[in-house]
Amino acid sequence: MNKEEELRAISKLVFELTVASSLTSDLDVLLERLFSVLRDFHDLPLEPRGAVVLLNPRGRYFQVAQFGMEPVWKSHLRWESGAFASAEVARDCRLETLSFDIDGREGAQAAPQRLFLLPLVIDSQGIGYTALFVPLEYEITPIHYDFMNDLARALSGLVNRALTNETLRIRELELEDARADAIRSLGVASEYRDNETGWHIMRMTNFAQAIAKAMGLAPDQRELLYIAAPMHDVGKIGIADAVLLKPGKLTNDEFDIMKTHTDIGVTILTGNDSLIAAARDIAGSHHERWDGTGYPQGLSGEQIPILARICSVADVFDALTSTRPYKKAWTVEEAEAWILSESGTYFDPVIVEAFKAAMPEILRVRELYRDDIIDPKQVLKLPPLPERENAWIPWEESLSVGIDIIDEHHRYLFDLINDLYEVVVNKRGAREVARVIKALDAYAKVHFRSEEQMMAHYDYQGIQQQEQQHYAFEAKIREFYEELHANPLVAQFDVLSYLRDWLVKHILVEDAKLRALVNA
């Protein structure tokens, strides 16, 4: 290959990769395209395998894309020796011989590998390498050296484009979250006026999600439901304390005043935004009945918005099974039987069927978001949930700490981590990664505070160390969320690795000590 041929090759390669990158931010696709084009250059002795390896903020390299190799979640390969032992990225291409094999075993006994390292540089800052494997005996030629340096600059631009696209998606999510958080906060404020703990909102919202999932509701509708459901009683902000906080049964006149909270909610939630519209539907219609005898408008059947119909079942079930100043809690069996008996009268029959199917998840949510302090000796008898196929971190009975409710908390954390794993491996993008990390962070706080409340109540001596570890974990998750802005491609793999190692170790070392509370 002479210089003229090299320039034509680079031009062709950059064109091919630019077309590919305009359609996707998936670096695996770009690597695949890279190798398909490089096959035309017979004097380049490349092996059909390579990877994109990027730095995290702590100077550690993570494999974020690959061709002809196992992905990072299947391999134990660590990029830590040779050029990867330093966070200083070279400015020119280089050949490197490292002692590790593709299965991830490193050290003197591992097979040596020869790599062409193409530096990835953005705004004069080295962010990592594209690593292309070559035969052990290969020695670089001046033409190949020039070609690879030109290729490195082209790849740097394409990786930068992928990073920019993913960062923009995170910014979009943050704008949506800022709006959703404002709406959620208003809903929580209304709930705290007549509910000491505020857990009703969390239970009702998650009950509604379980029902919607069992119905097969579209993901975008489920997301709207999750954000808007907390607004179902926002209109209670406008109800006088004498009525809202009355400990006994309301008179007919007082009940008429209480019913106006639906109209007040509709008035508060004005606007054409899809999220506001969904919240308005729920706030205004969750007391309508399938047979048309509800309020405020007497809507019937499918005239009632679908999200309001779902929230109606979720809200009533939690109200029936919760203690209030004016009533005792019904048993789960009594509440379930009553809701089933009201199918076609009070409630949409399709939603009642979904409610019945979702009961294992609903009962689990009741335990995760409970009002009272965890009893270490309580035996849970929850219906089994469907087994998760091919879980990245499967729950094993060896992880049990001997406290049923804490074990259920841990199983749910495992589910969230496995959700994150599925998002990453199925390449759903940094926006979805950010969403799951936020959900995991929110639930971890619920779990930690419940666990700490139990430890304080039972005078557990190791509470201070537990609290320190909990807050350190929360700080780390916040750090990863911030890193998604700087380098979303690395952060998603980095956080997976951290979560897997931290949670299992924390359960086996620290939480295992909680068994002492069972025998206290």
Side-chain angles (χ1 to χ4, degrees):
M1 180 189 299
N2 57 37
K3 189 62 179 178
E4 184 179 345
E5 290 172 331
E6 178 207 334
L7 291 174
R8 283 201 303 269
I10 283 289
S11 296
K12 178 182 178 183
L13 190 56
V14 170
F15 174 77
E16 294 272 3
L17 294 178
T18 301
V19 169
S21 69
S22 67
L23 301 175
T24 179
S25 295
D26 186 349
L27 294 184
D28 285 344
V29 173
L30 295 181
L31 275 181
E32 181 180 1
R33 193 69 193 136
L34 170 66
F35 275 92
S36 70
V37 176
L38 288 177
R39 276 198 296 266
D40 296 338
F41 308 129
H42 303 295
D43 62 340
L44 271 175
L46 295 177
E47 297 184 3
R49 52 195 173 108
V52 174
V53 187
L54 302 182
L55 278 165
N56 73 4
R58 289 162 296 283
R60 183 182 175 191
Y61 289 87
F62 271 82
Q63 179 181 317
V64 302
Q66 54 282 316
F67 176 80
M69 299 173 60
E70 290 283 12
V72 67
W73 51 85
K74 290 185 179 180
S75 168
H76 295 288
L77 190 149
R78 295 292 181 267
W79 300 84
E80 296 174 343
S81 57
F84 302 103
S86 170
E88 193 69 32
V89 176
R91 287 298 183 265
D92 293 310
C93 291
R94 60 192 291 183
L95 280 173
E96 184 95 20
T97 301
L98 301 178
S99 292
F100 61 68
D101 66 17
I102 296 305
D103 293 327
R105 297 186 299 273
E106 298 189 32
Q109 301 304 313
Q113 304 287 326
R114 191 80 157 153
L115 296 89
F116 225 139
L117 299 183
L118 284 64
L120 299 171
V121 180
I122 297 174
D123 295 331
S124 301
Q125 178 67 41
I127 65 166
Y129 294 98
T130 300
L132 307 177
F133 287 79
V134 294
L136 275 175
E137 66 277 7
Y138 173 73
E139 292 297 336
I140 195 168
T141 66
I143 290 292
H144 288 173
Y145 179 79
D146 289 343
F147 178 84
M148 287 299 184
N149 276 317
D150 289 340
L151 177 57
R153 285 188 282 273
L155 290 174
S156 295
L158 296 172
V159 170
N160 186 33
R161 175 186 287 190
L163 285 169
T164 300
N165 288 342
E166 292 298 280
T167 301
L168 285 174
R169 291 188 179 102
I170 293 171
R171 298 293 186 193
E172 290 170 2
L173 176 67
E174 287 186 333
L175 288 174
E176 293 172 11
D177 278 351
R179 178 186 56 173
D181 286 345
I183 292 175
R184 243 187 241 113
S185 296
L186 189 58
V188 171
S190 68
E191 186 65 23
Y192 267 89
R193 289 200 63 214
D194 70 341
N195 184 288
E196 187 176 328
T197 67
W199 286 124
H200 165 66
I201 276 187
M202 297 305 300
R203 288 193 298 267
M204 177 267 192
T205 299
N206 283 281
F207 292 166
Q209 277 291 292
I211 294 168
K213 189 174 181 180
M215 290 175 62
L217 202 68
D220 60 333
Q221 287 293 100
R222 294 208 305 267
E223 187 171 357
L224 271 180
L225 175 64
Y226 187 77
I227 298 169
M231 296 299 291
H232 67 291
D233 277 339
V234 68
K236 286 183 177 179
I237 287 175
I239 303 298
D241 287 352
V243 174
L244 186 66
L245 304 180
K246 183 178 178 178
K249 185 177 180 179
L250 299 179
T251 66
N252 289 338
D253 288 343
E254 288 168 338
F255 186 58
D256 285 341
I257 292 171
M258 179 65 84
K259 288 196 294 185
T260 64
H261 80 276
T262 54
D263 294 322
I264 295 170
V266 170
T267 301
I268 291 171
L269 296 165
T270 57
N272 297 321
D273 176 271
S274 61
L275 179 53
I276 293 292
R280 184 170 60 246
D281 284 345
I282 292 170
S285 302
H286 70 287
H287 283 294
E288 301 286 4
R289 295 170 55 122
W290 186 254
D291 63 3
T293 61
Y295 67 89
Q297 293 181 277
L299 301 178
S300 64
E302 294 187 0
Q303 291 177 324
I304 307 167
I306 181 69
L307 300 187
R309 281 180 265 153
I310 294 170
C311 285
S312 177
V313 174
D315 187 35
V316 169
F317 179 74
D318 190 64
L320 292 175
T321 55
S322 299
T323 300
R324 293 290 183 266
Y326 50 85
K327 76 170 191 71
K328 292 182 179 179
W330 291 23
T331 67
V332 166
E333 292 76 18
E334 290 170 337
E336 181 182 8
W338 186 82
I339 286 175
L340 295 181
S341 73
E342 290 294 315
S343 176
T345 305
Y346 196 134
F347 306 113
D348 179 346
V350 172
I351 292 172
V352 171
E353 281 301 308
F355 164 78
K356 185 178 178 181
M359 277 306 291
E361 182 63 25
I362 287 171
L363 295 180
R364 182 194 207 188
V365 168
R366 287 188 73 248
E367 297 300 336
L368 299 179
Y369 295 95
R370 56 193 297 147
D371 290 322
D372 55 341
I373 294 171
I374 293 172
D375 179 357
K377 298 180 181 181
Q378 181 183 353
V379 176
L380 286 185
K381 295 182 179 178
L382 297 177
L385 291 165
E387 287 290 331
R388 188 169 196 143
E389 294 182 6
N390 304 317
W392 185 53
I393 311 179
W395 172 264
E396 298 174 355
E397 285 307 313
S398 61
L399 294 168
S400 171
V401 302
I403 300 174
D404 284 6
I405 296 173
I406 297 297
D407 285 345
E408 203 57 47
H409 276 257
H410 290 162
R411 286 190 188 96
Y412 191 65
L413 282 170
F414 271 55
D415 283 347
L416 287 170
I417 294 172
N418 283 314
D419 285 347
L420 181 60
Y421 166 77
E422 289 181 6
V423 167
V424 173
V425 301
N426 291 316
K427 303 173 185 176
R428 295 178 191 159
R431 182 185 186 280
E432 191 68 9
V433 170
R435 188 190 65 78
V436 179
I437 289 176
K438 287 199 74 172
L440 192 149
D441 178 48
Y443 181 72
K445 289 182 172 69
V446 171
H447 164 58
F448 291 153
R449 301 300 87 82
S450 297
E451 198 173 64
E452 290 159 10
Q453 186 182 43
M454 176 194 71
M455 290 187 282
H457 181 79
Y458 290 98
D459 197 26
Y460 177 68
Q461 297 302 302
I463 186 171
Q464 187 173 6
Q465 184 173 350
Q466 283 271 13
E467 287 176 337
Q468 290 173 349
Q469 292 198 12
H470 292 169
Y471 287 119
F473 176 88
E474 291 169 30
K476 194 71 175 176
I477 296 300
R478 286 195 300 274
E479 182 181 327
F480 281 126
Y481 190 80
E482 290 303 314
E483 286 176 17
L484 278 171
H485 299 77
N487 194 332
L489 300 177
V490 172
Q492 55 187 297
F493 297 106
D494 205 350
V495 70
L496 270 181
S497 176
Y498 171 79
L499 288 170
R500 175 182 57 189
D501 296 342
W502 187 92
L503 184 56
V504 172
K505 181 180 178 181
H506 182 73
I507 291 173
L508 291 176
V509 176
E510 289 301 327
D511 284 349
K513 299 173 186 175
L514 295 174
R515 289 191 181 97
L517 296 177
V518 180
N519 302 317

